[in-house]
mmCIF file with all atom_site columns, all heavy atoms in Angstrom:
data_model
loop_
_atom_site.group_PDB
_atom_site.id
_atom_site.type_symbol
_atom_site.label_atom_id
_atom_site.label_alt_id
_atom_site.label_comp_id
_atom_site.label_asym_id
_atom_site.label_entity_id
_atom_site.label_seq_id
_atom_site.pdbx_PDB_ins_code
_atom_site.Cartn_x
_atom_site.Cartn_y
_atom_site.Cartn_z
_atom_site.occupancy
_atom_site.B_iso_or_equiv
_atom_site.pdbx_formal_charge
_atom_site.auth_seq_id
_atom_site.auth_comp_id
_atom_site.auth_asym_id
_atom_site.auth_atom_id
_atom_site.pdbx_PDB_model_num
ATOM 1   N N   . MET A 1 1   ? 150.320 152.821 213.574 1.00 44.00 ? 1   MET A N   1
ATOM 2   C CA  . MET A 1 1   ? 151.776 152.619 213.550 1.00 44.00 ? 1   MET A CA  1
ATOM 3   C C   . MET A 1 1   ? 152.304 152.569 212.071 1.00 44.00 ? 1   MET A C   1
ATOM 4   O O   . MET A 1 1   ? 151.651 152.077 211.256 1.00 44.00 ? 1   MET A O   1
ATOM 5   C CB  . MET A 1 1   ? 152.148 151.282 214.179 1.00 44.00 ? 1   MET A CB  1
ATOM 6   C CG  . MET A 1 1   ? 153.648 151.039 214.214 1.00 44.00 ? 1   MET A CG  1
ATOM 7   S SD  . MET A 1 1   ? 154.037 149.460 215.047 1.00 44.00 ? 1   MET A SD  1
ATOM 8   C CE  . MET A 1 1   ? 153.848 150.012 216.693 1.00 44.00 ? 1   MET A CE  1
ATOM 9   N N   . ALA A 1 7   ? 162.067 143.569 204.282 1.00 95.00 ? 7   ALA A N   1
ATOM 10  C CA  . ALA A 1 7   ? 163.181 143.183 203.383 1.00 95.00 ? 7   ALA A CA  1
ATOM 11  C C   . ALA A 1 7   ? 162.834 141.729 203.011 1.00 95.00 ? 7   ALA A C   1
ATOM 12  O O   . ALA A 1 7   ? 161.959 141.007 203.471 1.00 95.00 ? 7   ALA A O   1
ATOM 13  C CB  . ALA A 1 7   ? 164.474 143.300 204.119 1.00 95.00 ? 7   ALA A CB  1
ATOM 14  N N   . LYS A 1 10  ? 166.678 136.778 198.048 1.00 97.00 ? 10  LYS A N   1
ATOM 15  C CA  . LYS A 1 10  ? 166.354 136.015 196.835 1.00 97.00 ? 10  LYS A CA  1
ATOM 16  C C   . LYS A 1 10  ? 166.769 134.577 196.940 1.00 97.00 ? 10  LYS A C   1
ATOM 17  O O   . LYS A 1 10  ? 167.739 134.196 197.494 1.00 97.00 ? 10  LYS A O   1
ATOM 18  C CB  . LYS A 1 10  ? 167.089 136.717 195.592 1.00 97.00 ? 10  LYS A CB  1
ATOM 19  C CG  . LYS A 1 10  ? 166.660 138.175 195.345 1.00 97.00 ? 10  LYS A CG  1
ATOM 20  C CD  . LYS A 1 10  ? 167.439 138.751 194.270 1.00 97.00 ? 10  LYS A CD  1
ATOM 21  C CE  . LYS A 1 10  ? 167.081 140.201 194.036 1.00 97.00 ? 10  LYS A CE  1
ATOM 22  N NZ  . LYS A 1 10  ? 167.949 140.835 192.932 1.00 97.00 ? 10  LYS A NZ  1
ATOM 23  N N   . ILE A 1 41  ? 142.892 123.550 221.425 1.00 98.00 ? 41  ILE A N   1
ATOM 24  C CA  . ILE A 1 41  ? 143.118 124.852 222.077 1.00 98.00 ? 41  ILE A CA  1
ATOM 25  C C   . ILE A 1 41  ? 142.621 124.878 223.521 1.00 98.00 ? 41  ILE A C   1
ATOM 26  O O   . ILE A 1 41  ? 142.258 125.942 224.046 1.00 98.00 ? 41  ILE A O   1
ATOM 27  C CB  . ILE A 1 41  ? 142.322 125.942 221.218 1.00 98.00 ? 41  ILE A CB  1
ATOM 28  C CG1 . ILE A 1 41  ? 140.812 125.690 221.122 1.00 98.00 ? 41  ILE A CG1 1
ATOM 29  C CG2 . ILE A 1 41  ? 142.906 126.071 219.768 1.00 98.00 ? 41  ILE A CG2 1
ATOM 30  C CD1 . ILE A 1 41  ? 140.007 126.716 220.623 1.00 98.00 ? 41  ILE A CD1 1
ATOM 31  N N   . TYR A 1 53  ? 141.595 138.781 227.070 1.00 95.00 ? 53  TYR A N   1
ATOM 32  C CA  . TYR A 1 53  ? 141.814 138.956 225.647 1.00 95.00 ? 53  TYR A CA  1
ATOM 33  C C   . TYR A 1 53  ? 140.671 138.437 224.893 1.00 95.00 ? 53  TYR A C   1
ATOM 34  O O   . TYR A 1 53  ? 139.772 137.780 225.373 1.00 95.00 ? 53  TYR A O   1
ATOM 35  C CB  . TYR A 1 53  ? 143.085 138.111 225.211 1.00 95.00 ? 53  TYR A CB  1
ATOM 36  C CG  . TYR A 1 53  ? 144.364 138.560 225.846 1.00 95.00 ? 53  TYR A CG  1
ATOM 37  C CD1 . TYR A 1 53  ? 145.198 137.520 226.576 1.00 95.00 ? 53  TYR A CD1 1
ATOM 38  C CD2 . TYR A 1 53  ? 144.743 139.774 225.969 1.00 95.00 ? 53  TYR A CD2 1
ATOM 39  C CE1 . TYR A 1 53  ? 146.391 137.975 227.168 1.00 95.00 ? 53  TYR A CE1 1
ATOM 40  C CE2 . TYR A 1 53  ? 145.928 140.186 226.609 1.00 95.00 ? 53  TYR A CE2 1
ATOM 41  C CZ  . TYR A 1 53  ? 146.703 139.237 227.192 1.00 95.00 ? 53  TYR A CZ  1
ATOM 42  O OH  . TYR A 1 53  ? 147.858 139.617 227.857 1.00 95.00 ? 53  TYR A OH  1
ATOM 43  N N   . VAL A 1 67  ? 153.595 130.923 211.066 1.00 98.00 ? 67  VAL A N   1
ATOM 44  C CA  . VAL A 1 67  ? 153.876 131.163 209.707 1.00 98.00 ? 67  VAL A CA  1
ATOM 45  C C   . VAL A 1 67  ? 155.263 131.849 209.538 1.00 98.00 ? 67  VAL A C   1
ATOM 46  O O   . VAL A 1 67  ? 156.086 131.385 208.667 1.00 98.00 ? 67  VAL A O   1
ATOM 47  C CB  . VAL A 1 67  ? 152.802 132.044 209.059 1.00 98.00 ? 67  VAL A CB  1
ATOM 48  C CG1 . VAL A 1 67  ? 153.204 132.617 207.681 1.00 98.00 ? 67  VAL A CG1 1
ATOM 49  C CG2 . VAL A 1 67  ? 151.530 131.304 208.852 1.00 98.00 ? 67  VAL A CG2 1
ATOM 50  N N   . ASN A 1 68  ? 155.602 132.785 210.330 1.00 98.00 ? 68  ASN A N   1
ATOM 51  C CA  . ASN A 1 68  ? 156.819 133.513 210.248 1.00 98.00 ? 68  ASN A CA  1
ATOM 52  C C   . ASN A 1 68  ? 158.058 132.649 210.653 1.00 98.00 ? 68  ASN A C   1
ATOM 53  O O   . ASN A 1 68  ? 159.169 133.121 210.409 1.00 98.00 ? 68  ASN A O   1
ATOM 54  C CB  . ASN A 1 68  ? 156.757 134.837 211.011 1.00 98.00 ? 68  ASN A CB  1
ATOM 55  C CG  . ASN A 1 68  ? 156.076 135.895 210.136 1.00 98.00 ? 68  ASN A CG  1
ATOM 56  O OD1 . ASN A 1 68  ? 156.706 136.439 209.247 1.00 98.00 ? 68  ASN A OD1 1
ATOM 57  N ND2 . ASN A 1 68  ? 154.809 136.205 210.460 1.00 98.00 ? 68  ASN A ND2 1
ATOM 58  N N   . PHE A 1 73  ? 156.215 129.446 203.840 1.00 98.00 ? 73  PHE A N   1
ATOM 59  C CA  . PHE A 1 73  ? 154.947 130.151 203.836 1.00 98.00 ? 73  PHE A CA  1
ATOM 60  C C   . PHE A 1 73  ? 155.189 131.721 203.708 1.00 98.00 ? 73  PHE A C   1
ATOM 61  O O   . PHE A 1 73  ? 154.334 132.505 203.901 1.00 98.00 ? 73  PHE A O   1
ATOM 62  C CB  . PHE A 1 73  ? 154.265 129.907 205.150 1.00 98.00 ? 73  PHE A CB  1
ATOM 63  C CG  . PHE A 1 73  ? 153.922 128.547 205.379 1.00 98.00 ? 73  PHE A CG  1
ATOM 64  C CD1 . PHE A 1 73  ? 154.841 127.624 205.934 1.00 98.00 ? 73  PHE A CD1 1
ATOM 65  C CD2 . PHE A 1 73  ? 152.746 127.956 204.870 1.00 98.00 ? 73  PHE A CD2 1
ATOM 66  C CE1 . PHE A 1 73  ? 154.502 126.274 206.044 1.00 98.00 ? 73  PHE A CE1 1
ATOM 67  C CE2 . PHE A 1 73  ? 152.436 126.610 204.992 1.00 98.00 ? 73  PHE A CE2 1
ATOM 68  C CZ  . PHE A 1 73  ? 153.397 125.699 205.599 1.00 98.00 ? 73  PHE A CZ  1
ATOM 69  N N   . GLY A 1 80  ? 160.240 139.110 188.872 1.00 94.00 ? 80  GLY A N   1
ATOM 70  C CA  . GLY A 1 80  ? 160.613 137.979 188.181 1.00 94.00 ? 80  GLY A CA  1
ATOM 71  C C   . GLY A 1 80  ? 161.486 136.953 188.928 1.00 94.00 ? 80  GLY A C   1
ATOM 72  O O   . GLY A 1 80  ? 161.837 135.911 188.333 1.00 94.00 ? 80  GLY A O   1
ATOM 73  N N   . TRP A 1 85  ? 160.312 136.604 202.096 1.00 98.00 ? 85  TRP A N   1
ATOM 74  C CA  . TRP A 1 85  ? 160.191 137.794 202.878 1.00 98.00 ? 85  TRP A CA  1
ATOM 75  C C   . TRP A 1 85  ? 160.764 137.615 204.280 1.00 98.00 ? 85  TRP A C   1
ATOM 76  O O   . TRP A 1 85  ? 160.769 136.545 204.822 1.00 98.00 ? 85  TRP A O   1
ATOM 77  C CB  . TRP A 1 85  ? 158.714 138.253 203.076 1.00 98.00 ? 85  TRP A CB  1
ATOM 78  C CG  . TRP A 1 85  ? 158.020 138.655 201.865 1.00 98.00 ? 85  TRP A CG  1
ATOM 79  C CD1 . TRP A 1 85  ? 156.988 137.994 201.203 1.00 98.00 ? 85  TRP A CD1 1
ATOM 80  C CD2 . TRP A 1 85  ? 158.183 139.856 201.116 1.00 98.00 ? 85  TRP A CD2 1
ATOM 81  N NE1 . TRP A 1 85  ? 156.542 138.679 200.143 1.00 98.00 ? 85  TRP A NE1 1
ATOM 82  C CE2 . TRP A 1 85  ? 157.228 139.856 200.008 1.00 98.00 ? 85  TRP A CE2 1
ATOM 83  C CE3 . TRP A 1 85  ? 158.994 140.988 201.234 1.00 98.00 ? 85  TRP A CE3 1
ATOM 84  C CZ2 . TRP A 1 85  ? 157.151 140.894 199.111 1.00 98.00 ? 85  TRP A CZ2 1
ATOM 85  C CZ3 . TRP A 1 85  ? 158.902 142.018 200.399 1.00 98.00 ? 85  TRP A CZ3 1
ATOM 86  C CH2 . TRP A 1 85  ? 157.986 141.959 199.326 1.00 98.00 ? 85  TRP A CH2 1
ATOM 87  N N   . GLU A 1 100 ? 126.226 142.140 206.850 1.00 95.00 ? 100 GLU A N   1
ATOM 88  C CA  . GLU A 1 100 ? 126.679 140.675 206.540 1.00 95.00 ? 100 GLU A CA  1
ATOM 89  C C   . GLU A 1 100 ? 127.745 140.646 205.463 1.00 95.00 ? 100 GLU A C   1
ATOM 90  O O   . GLU A 1 100 ? 127.856 139.728 204.749 1.00 95.00 ? 100 GLU A O   1
ATOM 91  C CB  . GLU A 1 100 ? 125.427 139.805 206.352 1.00 95.00 ? 100 GLU A CB  1
ATOM 92  C CG  . GLU A 1 100 ? 124.451 139.602 207.549 1.00 95.00 ? 100 GLU A CG  1
ATOM 93  C CD  . GLU A 1 100 ? 123.465 138.630 207.319 1.00 95.00 ? 100 GLU A CD  1
ATOM 94  O OE1 . GLU A 1 100 ? 123.304 138.205 206.136 1.00 95.00 ? 100 GLU A OE1 1
ATOM 95  O OE2 . GLU A 1 100 ? 122.773 138.278 208.328 1.00 95.00 ? 100 GLU A OE2 1
ATOM 96  N N   . LEU A 1 105 ? 141.515 143.375 206.750 1.00 98.00 ? 105 LEU A N   1
ATOM 97  C CA  . LEU A 1 105 ? 142.430 144.299 207.397 1.00 98.00 ? 105 LEU A CA  1
ATOM 98  C C   . LEU A 1 105 ? 143.758 143.701 207.583 1.00 98.00 ? 105 LEU A C   1
ATOM 99  O O   . LEU A 1 105 ? 143.912 142.559 207.422 1.00 98.00 ? 105 LEU A O   1
ATOM 100 C CB  . LEU A 1 105 ? 141.837 144.699 208.741 1.00 98.00 ? 105 LEU A CB  1
ATOM 101 C CG  . LEU A 1 105 ? 140.467 145.231 208.849 1.00 98.00 ? 105 LEU A CG  1
ATOM 102 C CD1 . LEU A 1 105 ? 140.087 145.606 210.244 1.00 98.00 ? 105 LEU A CD1 1
ATOM 103 C CD2 . LEU A 1 105 ? 140.306 146.530 208.010 1.00 98.00 ? 105 LEU A CD2 1
ATOM 104 N N   . MET A 1 117 ? 149.326 143.170 219.441 1.00 96.00 ? 117 MET A N   1
ATOM 105 C CA  . MET A 1 117 ? 148.020 143.560 219.889 1.00 96.00 ? 117 MET A CA  1
ATOM 106 C C   . MET A 1 117 ? 147.704 145.036 219.709 1.00 96.00 ? 117 MET A C   1
ATOM 107 O O   . MET A 1 117 ? 146.588 145.443 219.419 1.00 96.00 ? 117 MET A O   1
ATOM 108 C CB  . MET A 1 117 ? 147.724 143.121 221.349 1.00 96.00 ? 117 MET A CB  1
ATOM 109 C CG  . MET A 1 117 ? 147.530 141.530 221.448 1.00 96.00 ? 117 MET A CG  1
ATOM 110 S SD  . MET A 1 117 ? 146.107 140.940 220.518 1.00 96.00 ? 117 MET A SD  1
ATOM 111 C CE  . MET A 1 117 ? 144.771 141.781 221.355 1.00 96.00 ? 117 MET A CE  1
ATOM 112 N N   . ASN A 1 130 ? 134.421 151.458 208.417 1.00 95.00 ? 130 ASN A N   1
ATOM 113 C CA  . ASN A 1 130 ? 134.754 151.335 206.931 1.00 95.00 ? 130 ASN A CA  1
ATOM 114 C C   . ASN A 1 130 ? 134.280 150.010 206.290 1.00 95.00 ? 130 ASN A C   1
ATOM 115 O O   . ASN A 1 130 ? 134.715 148.959 206.875 1.00 95.00 ? 130 ASN A O   1
ATOM 116 C CB  . ASN A 1 130 ? 136.280 151.460 206.714 1.00 95.00 ? 130 ASN A CB  1
ATOM 117 C CG  . ASN A 1 130 ? 136.621 151.746 205.333 1.00 95.00 ? 130 ASN A CG  1
ATOM 118 O OD1 . ASN A 1 130 ? 136.071 151.117 204.315 1.00 95.00 ? 130 ASN A OD1 1
ATOM 119 N ND2 . ASN A 1 130 ? 137.590 152.558 205.087 1.00 95.00 ? 130 ASN A ND2 1
ATOM 120 N N   . PRO A 1 135 ? 139.987 148.411 203.260 1.00 96.00 ? 135 PRO A N   1
ATOM 121 C CA  . PRO A 1 135 ? 140.009 149.749 203.724 1.00 96.00 ? 135 PRO A CA  1
ATOM 122 C C   . PRO A 1 135 ? 141.350 150.534 203.494 1.00 96.00 ? 135 PRO A C   1
ATOM 123 O O   . PRO A 1 135 ? 141.352 151.700 203.360 1.00 96.00 ? 135 PRO A O   1
ATOM 124 C CB  . PRO A 1 135 ? 139.676 149.655 205.240 1.00 96.00 ? 135 PRO A CB  1
ATOM 125 C CG  . PRO A 1 135 ? 138.975 148.374 205.396 1.00 96.00 ? 135 PRO A CG  1
ATOM 126 C CD  . PRO A 1 135 ? 139.561 147.518 204.267 1.00 96.00 ? 135 PRO A CD  1
ATOM 127 N N   . PHE A 1 171 ? 144.515 130.643 205.551 1.00 98.00 ? 171 PHE A N   1
ATOM 128 C CA  . PHE A 1 171 ? 144.033 129.833 206.683 1.00 98.00 ? 171 PHE A CA  1
ATOM 129 C C   . PHE A 1 171 ? 142.589 130.220 206.990 1.00 98.00 ? 171 PHE A C   1
ATOM 130 O O   . PHE A 1 171 ? 142.287 131.398 206.958 1.00 98.00 ? 171 PHE A O   1
ATOM 131 C CB  . PHE A 1 171 ? 145.015 130.164 207.905 1.00 98.00 ? 171 PHE A CB  1
ATOM 132 C CG  . PHE A 1 171 ? 146.425 129.760 207.783 1.00 98.00 ? 171 PHE A CG  1
ATOM 133 C CD1 . PHE A 1 171 ? 147.221 130.671 207.137 1.00 98.00 ? 171 PHE A CD1 1
ATOM 134 C CD2 . PHE A 1 171 ? 146.911 128.672 208.214 1.00 98.00 ? 171 PHE A CD2 1
ATOM 135 C CE1 . PHE A 1 171 ? 148.600 130.342 206.972 1.00 98.00 ? 171 PHE A CE1 1
ATOM 136 C CE2 . PHE A 1 171 ? 148.188 128.293 208.127 1.00 98.00 ? 171 PHE A CE2 1
ATOM 137 C CZ  . PHE A 1 171 ? 148.984 129.123 207.409 1.00 98.00 ? 171 PHE A CZ  1
ATOM 138 N N   . GLY A 1 174 ? 137.477 127.650 212.160 1.00 98.00 ? 174 GLY A N   1
ATOM 139 C CA  . GLY A 1 174 ? 135.979 127.391 212.396 1.00 98.00 ? 174 GLY A CA  1
ATOM 140 C C   . GLY A 1 174 ? 135.682 127.330 213.842 1.00 98.00 ? 174 GLY A C   1
ATOM 141 O O   . GLY A 1 174 ? 136.542 127.578 214.840 1.00 98.00 ? 174 GLY A O   1
ATOM 142 N N   . LYS A 1 177 ? 135.027 122.833 219.296 1.00 97.00 ? 177 LYS A N   1
ATOM 143 C CA  . LYS A 1 177 ? 134.055 121.976 219.884 1.00 97.00 ? 177 LYS A CA  1
ATOM 144 C C   . LYS A 1 177 ? 134.816 121.070 220.906 1.00 97.00 ? 177 LYS A C   1
ATOM 145 O O   . LYS A 1 177 ? 135.925 120.662 220.715 1.00 97.00 ? 177 LYS A O   1
ATOM 146 C CB  . LYS A 1 177 ? 133.530 121.053 218.832 1.00 97.00 ? 177 LYS A CB  1
ATOM 147 C CG  . LYS A 1 177 ? 132.337 120.162 219.297 1.00 97.00 ? 177 LYS A CG  1
ATOM 148 C CD  . LYS A 1 177 ? 131.838 119.329 218.045 1.00 97.00 ? 177 LYS A CD  1
ATOM 149 C CE  . LYS A 1 177 ? 130.622 118.450 218.523 1.00 97.00 ? 177 LYS A CE  1
ATOM 150 N NZ  . LYS A 1 177 ? 130.188 117.686 217.374 1.00 97.00 ? 177 LYS A NZ  1
ATOM 151 N N   . PRO A 1 186 ? 138.718 123.498 214.156 1.00 98.00 ? 186 PRO A N   1
ATOM 152 C CA  . PRO A 1 186 ? 139.165 123.246 212.777 1.00 98.00 ? 186 PRO A CA  1
ATOM 153 C C   . PRO A 1 186 ? 139.995 124.287 212.136 1.00 98.00 ? 186 PRO A C   1
ATOM 154 O O   . PRO A 1 186 ? 139.631 125.508 212.346 1.00 98.00 ? 186 PRO A O   1
ATOM 155 C CB  . PRO A 1 186 ? 137.766 122.978 212.086 1.00 98.00 ? 186 PRO A CB  1
ATOM 156 C CG  . PRO A 1 186 ? 136.839 123.776 212.831 1.00 98.00 ? 186 PRO A CG  1
ATOM 157 C CD  . PRO A 1 186 ? 137.310 123.734 214.238 1.00 98.00 ? 186 PRO A CD  1
ATOM 158 N N   . GLU A 1 210 ? 152.317 123.430 219.195 1.00 97.00 ? 210 GLU A N   1
ATOM 159 C CA  . GLU A 1 210 ? 153.181 123.769 220.337 1.00 97.00 ? 210 GLU A CA  1
ATOM 160 C C   . GLU A 1 210 ? 152.907 125.117 220.957 1.00 97.00 ? 210 GLU A C   1
ATOM 161 O O   . GLU A 1 210 ? 152.883 125.219 222.185 1.00 97.00 ? 210 GLU A O   1
ATOM 162 C CB  . GLU A 1 210 ? 154.644 123.780 219.819 1.00 97.00 ? 210 GLU A CB  1
ATOM 163 C CG  . GLU A 1 210 ? 155.612 124.167 220.804 1.00 97.00 ? 210 GLU A CG  1
ATOM 164 C CD  . GLU A 1 210 ? 156.993 124.446 220.233 1.00 97.00 ? 210 GLU A CD  1
ATOM 165 O OE1 . GLU A 1 210 ? 157.284 124.048 219.014 1.00 97.00 ? 210 GLU A OE1 1
ATOM 166 O OE2 . GLU A 1 210 ? 157.850 125.041 220.927 1.00 97.00 ? 210 GLU A OE2 1
ATOM 167 N N   . GLU A 1 216 ? 150.863 130.205 227.526 1.00 91.00 ? 216 GLU A N   1
ATOM 168 C CA  . GLU A 1 216 ? 151.262 131.068 228.745 1.00 91.00 ? 216 GLU A CA  1
ATOM 169 C C   . GLU A 1 216 ? 152.722 131.389 228.615 1.00 91.00 ? 216 GLU A C   1
ATOM 170 O O   . GLU A 1 216 ? 153.160 132.515 228.910 1.00 91.00 ? 216 GLU A O   1
ATOM 171 C CB  . GLU A 1 216 ? 150.922 130.408 230.038 1.00 91.00 ? 216 GLU A CB  1
ATOM 172 C CG  . GLU A 1 216 ? 151.136 131.299 231.210 1.00 91.00 ? 216 GLU A CG  1
ATOM 173 C CD  . GLU A 1 216 ? 150.406 130.860 232.413 1.00 91.00 ? 216 GLU A CD  1
ATOM 174 O OE1 . GLU A 1 216 ? 149.653 129.831 232.315 1.00 91.00 ? 216 GLU A OE1 1
ATOM 175 O OE2 . GLU A 1 216 ? 150.619 131.499 233.495 1.00 91.00 ? 216 GLU A OE2 1
ATOM 176 N N   . SER A 1 221 ? 155.124 135.724 229.133 1.00 63.00 ? 221 SER A N   1
ATOM 177 C CA  . SER A 1 221 ? 156.477 136.235 229.517 1.00 63.00 ? 221 SER A CA  1
ATOM 178 C C   . SER A 1 221 ? 156.749 137.466 228.864 1.00 63.00 ? 221 SER A C   1
ATOM 179 O O   . SER A 1 221 ? 157.712 138.144 229.139 1.00 63.00 ? 221 SER A O   1
ATOM 180 C CB  . SER A 1 221 ? 157.483 135.143 229.021 1.00 63.00 ? 221 SER A CB  1
ATOM 181 O OG  . SER A 1 221 ? 157.383 134.947 227.687 1.00 63.00 ? 221 SER A OG  1
#
Side-chain angles (χ1 to χ4, degrees):
M1 178 177 288
K10 298 177 181 179
I41 57 169
Y53 300 130
V67 165
N68 276 283
F73 300 89
W85 294 108
E100 294 189 348
L105 304 179
M117 286 300 295
N130 193 322
F171 298 81
K177 185 177 181 181
E210 176 191 345
E216 187 162 356
S221 61

